[in-house]
Amino acid sequence: DTGVSQDPRHKITKRGQNVTFRCDPISEHNRLYWYRQTLGQGPEFLTYFQNEAQLEKSRLLSDRFSAERPKGSFSTLEIQRTEQGDSAMYLCASSSLTAESFEKLFFGSGTQLSVL
Amino acid sequence: GNSVTQMEGPVTLSEEAFLTINCTYTATGYPSLFWYVQYPGEGLQLLLKATKADDKGSNKGFEATYRKETTSFHLEKGSVQVSDSAVYFCALSRAGGFKTIFGAGTRLFVKA
């Protein structure tokens, strides 16, 4: 169990550019979540996958945001035409459906996005 | 909609002091309740959870009891240590765990 890993750790981009983040969940976990966290706030839910199916998207997720989880393994989150308001920490979490771990989220260390 | 409200920080305590961090929630149905902790430089990790009314979650000396009548899930520890300095997040999850909703977090500083 190597934990949830996210790449890159930090991303600095100019307004209007596209960025893509990657998340590798714990290998046997069926569920994968994306959250966004700004300074002094708790994580805000963005979207959730069960295996390869994207089952829920937050209203926060504008059409500039897209997430995929091909083959139910790693996931990518892409932001097109970035805006300064997109600057935040993007967190990935995963969970399994086993009784002992049900509803327990395992978080990665996040990708810090700065849009200049 | 579902939401979580927790006391604002920062909370500053001396070592061995008693800790309470208040958390109240609004939810339909019967959510599960959680406390997550984020230590400096680390990712969020689950501290404890409770899945039904009157359940008590506990871990590392921390406790919280699911109080449905007051819609609360206050975090307590009898004697804090410097190593408990972190940000604590109260959270709830709808039945099935499809989406976990977090409070704004409470930063705790413990002085030696």
Side-chain angles (χ1 to χ4, degrees):
Chain A
D1 179 357
T2 58
V4 178
S5 62
Q6 293 187 244
D7 184 68
R9 291 295 301 273
H10 305 275
K11 179 70 176 178
I12 300 173
T13 192
K14 293 182 179 179
R15 187 163 47 97
Q17 298 295 304
N18 299 344
V19 295
T20 300
F21 311 140
R22 177 180 171 123
C23 171
D24 287 272
I26 294 171
S27 58
E28 66 270 22
H29 283 186
N30 312 82
R31 294 180 172 178
L32 186 146
Y33 308 78
W34 285 99
Y35 283 82
R36 180 171 66 189
Q37 186 177 20
T38 54
L39 198 61
Q41 298 299 315
E44 294 176 296
F45 172 82
L46 294 178
T47 190
Y48 142 71
F49 292 84
Q50 181 154 315
N51 300 314
E52 67 275 10
Q54 187 173 20
L55 296 186
E56 188 169 347
K57 292 169 61 174
S58 165
R59 289 169 297 171
L60 293 174
L61 212 64
S62 77
D63 53 9
R64 295 186 297 106
F65 288 70
S66 62
E68 295 182 342
R69 191 183 183 197
K71 302 179 184 178
S73 56
F74 70 93
S75 176
T76 57
L77 178 68
E78 180 183 18
I79 309 174
Q80 297 183 325
R81 306 181 302 281
T82 53
E83 302 172 355
Q84 289 184 326
D86 297 331
S87 296
M89 177 74 82
Y90 289 84
L91 298 171
C92 178
S94 67
S95 69
S96 77
L97 293 174
T98 61
E100 64 184 48
S101 299
F102 190 60
E103 298 180 310
K104 177 180 178 180
L105 298 181
F106 293 79
F107 279 89
S109 296
T111 295
Q112 181 67 53
L113 173 65
S114 298
V115 181
L116 305 179
Chain B
N2 299 332
S3 65
V4 175
T5 303
Q6 57 183 110
M7 64 187 285
E8 290 189 18
V11 173
T12 303
L13 295 173
S14 297
E15 209 166 21
E16 300 184 1
F18 184 84
L19 168 71
T20 301
I21 300 178
N22 291 337
C23 171
T24 57
Y25 68 91
T26 301
T28 54
Y30 301 94
S32 295
L33 302 175
F34 308 85
W35 279 98
Y36 280 80
V37 59
Q38 187 169 29
Y39 297 104
E42 299 184 15
L44 279 87
Q45 55 187 278
L46 180 67
L47 180 61
L48 54 85
K49 74 179 220 182
T51 57
K52 62 182 187 295
D54 300 325
D55 266 3
K56 178 184 285 188
S58 61
N59 186 24
K60 299 182 181 179
F62 291 89
E63 294 182 340
T65 301
Y66 190 142
R67 300 286 189 201
K68 186 165 175 57
E69 63 276 12
T70 54
T71 62
S72 65
F73 193 56
H74 305 320
L75 182 68
E76 296 182 336
K77 186 175 185 182
S79 175
V80 294
Q81 305 300 311
V82 172
S83 58
D84 294 326
S85 298
V87 182
Y88 292 83
F89 295 92
C90 186
L92 70 81
S93 174
R94 298 177 304 182
F98 299 115
K99 180 168 79 173
T100 301
I101 296 168
F102 289 83
T106 303
R107 183 175 294 277
L108 170 66
F109 292 104
V110 181
K111 303 180 296 184

